[in-house]
Amino acid sequence: MTDQFAVRMVDITKSFGSILANNKVYLELRKGEILSLLGENGSGKTTLMNMLSGIYFPDDGQIYVNGREVTIASPHDAYRLGIGMVHQHFKLVDVLTAAENIALGLPGGAVVDRKAIGRKVRDICDRYGFVVDPDKKIYDMSVSEKQTLEIVKTLYRGAEILILDEPTAVLTPQETEKLFAVMRNMRNDGKSIIIITHKLNEVLEISDRVTVLRKGEYIGDMDTAKADARALTDMMVGRTVTLNIQRDEPVDPQRRLEIRNLTVKDKEGVTRLDDISLDVYAGEILGVAGISGCGQKELLEAVAGLQPTQSGSSVKYRPTGPEGPAEELIGQNPRTIAEKGIRLAFVPEDRLGMGLVANMTLVGNMMLKEYRSGKGPLVERRHPHELAEQVVRELEVVTPSIDTPVRKLSGGNVQKVLVGREIAMGPTVLMSAYAVRGLDINTSYTIYKLLNEQKKAGVAVIYVGEDLDVLLQLCDRIAVLCGGRLNAILDGRTATKEQVGYLMTNMKDMSGEEAGA
Amino acid sequence: MTQIISLLTSAIVFGTVILYGAVGEIFTEKSGNLNLGVPGIMYLGGIAGLATAFFYEMYAAEPVGWIGLLLSFIAAFAASALAGLIYAFLTISLRANQNVTGLTLTIFGAGVANLFGGSLNAMAGGVGQISVATTSRAYRAYIPALSGLGHVGQLLFSFGFMAYLAVAVALFASWFFNRSRVGLNLRAVGEDPATADAAGINVTRYKYLATCLGAGVSGLGGLYYVMDYIKGTWSTDGTIEALGWLAVALVIFATWKPARAIWSAYLFGVLYWAYNYITGLSRASIELFKMLPYVVTILVLVAVSLRRSREAQPPKSLGLSYFREER
């Protein structure tokens, strides 16, 4: 009976510190099938697969391969069991050639026989329809070539079970089609494949079966033939939870930021933000929803002057409403923006990397924003000192003293210090990314309250979030990003969780299909 | 002509010292470990070799050159590799900061070596008295017939065996990194340990072995300096340390390529000794000339950075420690 399963993972549990990444997860992979592992970011898909490929070791649970219970302590063990994983971040050495990368870690003679490798690579390519040049250096390769090489590498090592971690995230539609064709060839050849993804259309197109995870827990699985996008979305995002977050009607919202045709490409030339046009109003909270990595970071950083943009992009700042004077923010940096008197507060995702300096004290971190303002060669210490005391008092920061390095504070207190500092400058625009990530319930409500106070004070608030319940109950409007594009702007009062979840995973106008919104 | 031959000869002797240091350090750095303890390791190699030869010559009734050579060679390599082991344990197992650990090792090595060097001098009867003539002669032995063949003979065959060994080690290293399976795996460890790990390479073992063996090779530079360069004596003038830093500079100059390190080492030698062959230099300008190797290293760094050649870069994870479950 168990013989029909290539892999069974039972009651797998894994935690990182206090975060439970996988909680009693169940997964089965039948021989010769393509299984989609579906879930939002942070739902524990990659963690689960990393345990199957030997990168992490489970805290608890059993793994069966071909019906036999196994222990996978290292990637080497995984290869011995015929399991190969293509990671989202490619595991390739830049300065080596394709053939050399394939040879890494393999047993064999003292000298690497590049010709023999080249022959075998060509065999694999011919069999499944890949194109790989064994002598090409990795740094000369495109993303799609690298991915192809990764798959060839696992096949070269005799993998019968392949795991692909979000393989289409970096591919163009044409390349995705090619990948799917190759995947079907491999399945027809008897390989079992797991594809990690959060794109519903791909799940429906390529897989035979789908397993859904949510917040580290196993939700269920079903045959793809019986599934539809709506049912899968519901499984992914779950039931609506009432949070009782206060939300007042915006008072006299004035347009404060006009984002027009904002396009951002990363270092590899991949488009991260595609022609975004969006207005942000004073006195309201604009939510930004999307699977993580769909352009949220780039959007905030472009406004803050931290992100190079493509030409044609524009972000106009209007301090006194739509008819008042405008200031172009694109092409400026945080310093020039501040010097123009624009009070732009930014609570970034990476609190101790971008937001605060971990080794500096509370006072020192307060000083970072105003050290230039003092007269004379010495920094002015009194005001930051008072500010630190005020933040600690008003936000109930738990700290031994204001001279404690912030790295010694807990996550919630770090966030309070950061938000407190940003609010203290009396901002006109407040941007926050994942402001409550990792915080306990009480601290989260403190943050919501602070954001609401800012909204009431006429600040234009942008709230990038991942918890749809919070977005729906806190924000006045919700912009949904999907793969770097603006999919829809919804009214926070009428939108439903399913609707947002669906828009996050399905681009509305792709291939002429209308989303059932 | 004689002058040029003489310059080249001293350049090769000089170059051999730093070639050992550099090739050893290339081994280490290819595993992603930046060991700034090279000067200290060269010190340790030098003093271990000297002390071994000294006691052998003191206690053996009739010291035989090649036995002294063998013993001191092994002692020098072992002592240096041990220093590498200390560094490896601190940086790989305990994940201490590599720069701090390396610099500490340099200070430690210099201190230990000069302490024992001074003691040996005292035992031998006073400052500058120590001499391991028999062993040193064995190190400096060459084939007279070949070196007699005029200028060419002198240039090619007038050195002790360690000068040739250095070239052989460098050529072997070059083959090792580019052709051999183990060398390829080692490069992967230094470039991208997570990738190497995922490919089933034991990152910790590779780092340990490369760091210890690399330190062993670096230490031979100190041995060569003591036995050949200053002919089996000890001096506390700090020259070994200066040469050790030059070896580190040479790694950068050679852009982490052992074969390139060979001629680069000799070029450093020529630049360093050039002042001897230019007449009428004041003391101040002599020191300026001695600076030349460092100046050209900076120029190479500038040129490499400007060209952005992917092949001339340091190993990508150089200086970083690796922990598999880091998120």
Side-chain angles (χ1 to χ4, degrees):
Chain A
M1 175 61 199
T2 46
D3 276 342
Q4 70 174 103
F5 296 121
V7 174
R8 266 191 345 125
M9 301 176 83
V10 181
D11 284 347
I12 299 290
T13 299
K14 175 79 184 172
S15 53
F16 294 96
S18 61
I19 300 160
L20 198 57
N22 277 167
N23 186 15
K24 292 195 180 303
V25 174
Y26 177 81
L27 178 129
E28 60 182 44
L29 172 68
R30 295 177 191 155
K31 282 186 183 158
E33 75 166 359
I34 299 178
L35 172 74
S36 288
L37 186 54
L38 181 68
E40 289 188 71
N41 275 74
S43 59
K45 298 168 296 194
T46 304
T47 305
L48 184 68
M49 288 301 103
N50 273 341
M51 284 186 276
L52 190 55
S53 65
I55 304 282
Y56 299 150
F57 194 75
D59 298 341
D60 200 11
Q62 297 86 44
I63 300 175
Y64 301 88
V65 174
N66 297 321
R68 213 160 42 81
E69 180 165 3
V70 294
T71 305
I72 305 173
S74 71
H76 199 68
D77 289 352
Y79 274 124
R80 269 213 326 266
L81 293 165
I83 301 169
M85 179 158 171
V86 175
H87 295 269
Q88 206 177 355
H89 302 284
F90 300 133
K91 307 262 183 196
L92 295 170
V93 178
D94 264 357
V95 293
L96 302 184
T97 65
E100 286 169 338
N101 266 288
I102 287 173
L104 284 181
L106 289 182
V111 181
V112 177
D113 187 348
R114 288 169 170 74
K115 274 196 193 123
I117 294 170
R119 268 198 305 278
K120 203 170 156 193
V121 167
R122 267 184 288 278
D123 281 351
I124 294 172
C125 289
D126 293 346
R127 191 156 163 199
Y128 300 108
F130 294 109
V131 183
V132 168
D133 174 3
D135 298 320
K136 199 164 179 180
K137 296 261 182 170
I138 304 302
Y139 58 71
D140 285 331
M141 288 187 173
S142 71
V143 195
S144 140
E145 280 177 294
K146 288 182 199 172
Q147 185 176 66
T148 308
L149 173 60
E150 283 278 29
I151 298 172
V152 171
K153 198 169 89 180
T154 57
L155 293 172
Y156 186 97
R157 288 162 177 243
E160 289 297 319
I161 300 161
L162 274 98
I163 307 162
L164 308 177
D165 190 356
E166 298 195 11
T168 58
V170 292
L171 300 183
T172 64
Q174 292 80 6
E175 289 167 338
T176 303
E177 276 313 308
K178 248 189 257 170
L179 173 71
F180 284 178
V182 168
M183 281 172 68
R184 290 191 189 99
N185 285 342
M186 291 195 290
R187 175 185 57 193
N188 297 340
D189 199 47
K191 314 266 183 214
S192 316
I193 303 170
I194 301 176
I195 172 173
I196 301 180
T197 183
H198 50 242
K199 295 182 186 164
L200 291 177
N201 55 339
E202 291 177 356
V203 172
L204 297 171
E205 185 184 343
I206 186 73
S207 65
D208 302 309
R209 239 156 36 80
V210 50
T211 292
V212 182
L213 298 187
R214 183 171 74 227
K215 294 185 176 161
E217 300 198 12
Y218 167 77
I219 300 303
D221 55 34
M222 58 164 81
D223 287 335
T224 312
K226 293 182 198 145
D228 62 46
R230 184 44 54 90
L232 290 174
T233 307
D234 289 352
M235 286 171 84
M236 246 170 96
V237 297
R239 271 198 309 274
T240 304
V241 184
T242 310
L243 295 166
N244 290 321
I245 301 172
Q246 179 197 346
R247 174 166 52 192
D248 299 328
E249 283 296 323
V251 182
D252 183 27
Q254 296 275 356
R255 199 189 300 156
R256 184 153 288 165
L257 284 182
E258 286 170 18
I259 301 170
R260 293 289 175 269
N261 311 105
L262 183 59
T263 302
V264 170
K265 288 187 177 177
D266 67 10
K267 264 183 272 170
E268 263 95 56
V270 179
T271 306
R272 311 305 304 203
L273 267 189
D274 192 0
D275 201 21
I276 301 275
S277 294
L278 186 64
D279 288 331
V280 185
Y281 292 88
E284 72 156 22
I285 299 181
L286 172 72
V288 178
I291 301 287
S292 119
C294 281
Q296 297 94 322
K297 178 169 175 277
E298 287 77 7
L299 175 63
L300 297 192
E301 291 187 359
V303 175
L306 294 164
Q307 175 78 51
T309 54
Q310 300 300 112
S311 67
S313 305
S314 157
V315 176
K316 287 232 161 47
Y317 171 78
R318 295 187 187 274
T320 55
E323 275 79 47
E327 187 75 55
E328 177 62 57
L329 297 184
I330 296 293
Q332 306 214 45
N333 61 46
R335 188 168 181 161
T336 56
I337 290 174
E339 279 167 358
K340 293 217 164 67
I342 302 171
R343 295 194 303 279
L344 197 72
F346 186 20
V347 179
E349 177 182 356
D350 182 11
R351 293 165 202 161
L352 287 180
M354 259 176 93
L356 301 169
V357 180
N359 278 333
M360 279 166 68
T361 64
L362 272 70
V363 178
N365 273 293
M366 296 297 158
M367 213 182 282
L368 288 178
K369 279 262 164 167
E370 48 183 78
Y371 70 95
R372 282 191 296 268
S373 60
K375 296 186 188 79
L378 300 177
V379 286
E380 205 261 309
R381 299 192 78 95
R382 194 180 317 124
H383 184 252
H385 199 92
E386 282 164 4
L387 183 58
E389 278 178 343
Q390 182 194 334
V391 167
V392 167
R393 197 171 52 239
E394 287 177 6
L395 301 187
E396 292 166 356
V397 179
V398 180
T399 173
S401 85
I402 54 168
D403 295 317
T404 307
V406 290
R407 83 182 131 82
K408 294 196 172 162
L409 270 49
S410 74
N413 287 310
V414 166
Q415 185 70 334
K416 283 183 190 171
V417 172
L418 176 55
V419 173
R421 183 189 73 193
E422 294 299 310
I423 287 176
M425 68 193 268
T428 50
V429 177
L430 171 63
M431 301 189 290
S432 72
Y434 308 109
V436 297
R437 181 184 280 175
L439 304 193
D440 62 45
I441 301 286
N442 284 330
T443 316
S444 301
Y445 276 92
T446 310
I447 303 285
Y448 304 146
K449 200 181 93 202
L450 288 169
L451 294 177
N452 268 320
E453 280 169 7
Q454 293 302 307
K455 166 180 156 185
K456 212 183 260 174
V459 178
V461 181
I462 303 178
Y463 177 87
V464 173
E466 48 197 345
D467 190 328
L468 296 186
D469 291 313
V470 174
L471 280 164
L472 286 166
Q473 293 173 50
L474 174 71
C475 304
D476 299 300
R477 290 185 305 141
I478 299 172
V480 186
L481 293 178
C482 178
R485 292 201 274 171
L486 184 60
N487 206 5
I489 298 176
L490 305 172
D491 186 330
R493 284 168 181 77
T494 56
T496 65
K497 198 169 178 182
E498 289 71 30
Q499 195 183 1
V500 177
Y502 190 81
L503 287 166
M504 276 162 63
T505 46
N506 290 271
M507 197 59 214
K508 237 191 322 196
D509 52 6
M510 244 203 338
S511 62
E513 244 178 283
E514 267 294 314
Chain B
M1 190 63 196
T2 323
Q3 278 225 330
I4 291 172
I5 293 296
S6 151
L7 170 63
L8 289 177
T9 310
S10 31
I12 289 174
V13 174
F14 181 94
T16 300
V17 179
I18 56 174
L19 183 55
Y20 276 113
V23 172
E25 180 65 5
I26 291 176
F27 267 102
T28 307
E29 292 196 11
K30 285 283 183 186
S31 79
N33 280 349
L34 176 64
N35 188 353
L36 292 179
V38 176
I41 287 166
M42 285 169 64
Y43 255 123
L44 289 173
I47 195 65
L50 181 71
T52 309
F54 176 76
F55 288 117
Y56 168 70
E57 289 193 14
M58 194 158 94
Y59 291 112
E62 271 176 54
V64 185
W66 67 266
I67 296 181
L69 182 149
L70 204 62
L71 289 176
S72 55
F73 190 89
I74 293 169
F77 192 88
S80 315
L82 195 64
L85 186 64
I86 296 173
Y87 174 88
F89 178 69
L90 285 169
T91 60
I92 303 167
S93 296
L94 303 182
R95 299 191 200 102
N97 180 297
Q98 296 191 3
N99 295 343
V100 175
T101 311
L103 290 172
T104 312
L105 195 58
T106 286
I107 299 165
F108 170 76
V112 167
N114 280 326
L115 171 70
F116 283 95
S119 312
L120 288 181
N121 263 336
M123 282 175 76
V127 175
Q129 292 300 304
I130 186 174
S131 164
V132 288
T134 318
T135 307
S136 172
R137 241 193 324 276
Y139 272 101
R140 283 179 286 134
Y142 52 85
I143 306 166
L146 290 177
S147 57
L149 300 171
H151 289 318
V152 179
Q154 200 195 339
L155 191 57
L156 292 182
F157 301 109
S158 67
F159 306 100
F161 81 99
M162 278 190 79
Y164 308 103
L165 182 66
V167 176
V169 170
L171 290 176
F172 167 78
S174 188
W175 171 87
F176 176 77
F177 292 131
N178 292 314
R179 292 279 138 205
S180 82
R181 191 175 294 276
V182 180
L184 208 59
N185 290 350
L186 178 63
R187 275 170 70 195
V189 168
E191 288 288 337
D192 192 343
T195 294
D197 197 8
I201 298 169
N202 187 333
V203 173
T204 306
R205 185 162 67 198
Y206 268 84
K207 277 187 169 242
Y208 259 96
L209 278 176
T211 305
C212 292
L213 292 179
V217 172
S218 287
L220 293 181
L223 179 71
Y224 179 79
Y225 175 81
V226 167
M227 290 299 178
D228 199 318
Y229 198 94
I230 59 172
K231 303 184 174 62
T233 59
W234 186 257
S235 109
T236 46
D237 59 1
T239 311
I240 294 188
E241 183 165 351
L243 291 173
W245 291 124
L246 212 48
V248 175
L250 181 60
V251 174
I252 300 164
F253 186 87
T255 59
W256 292 265
K257 292 183 183 63
R260 254 189 85 159
I262 302 173
W263 65 259
S264 312
Y266 300 153
L267 175 67
F268 274 24
V270 169
L271 291 171
Y272 187 87
W273 283 121
Y275 72 89
N276 241 348
Y277 300 87
I278 298 168
T279 45
L281 286 179
S282 69
R283 273 195 99 84
S285 10
I286 287 177
E287 295 303 323
L288 282 177
F289 265 89
K290 285 183 175 175
M291 228 168 60
L292 280 177
Y294 300 99
V295 173
V296 292
T297 303
I298 292 170
L299 291 178
V300 164
L301 266 179
V302 170
V304 165
S305 305
L306 284 179
R307 269 200 311 150
R308 288 165 187 256
S309 155
R310 299 297 290 263
E311 302 290 334
Q313 298 301 323
K316 217 197 252 159
S317 84
L318 186 63
L320 308 173
S321 48
Y322 175 63
F323 177 48
R324 186 191 286 168
E325 293 210 0
E326 203 159 39
R327 305 228 294 178

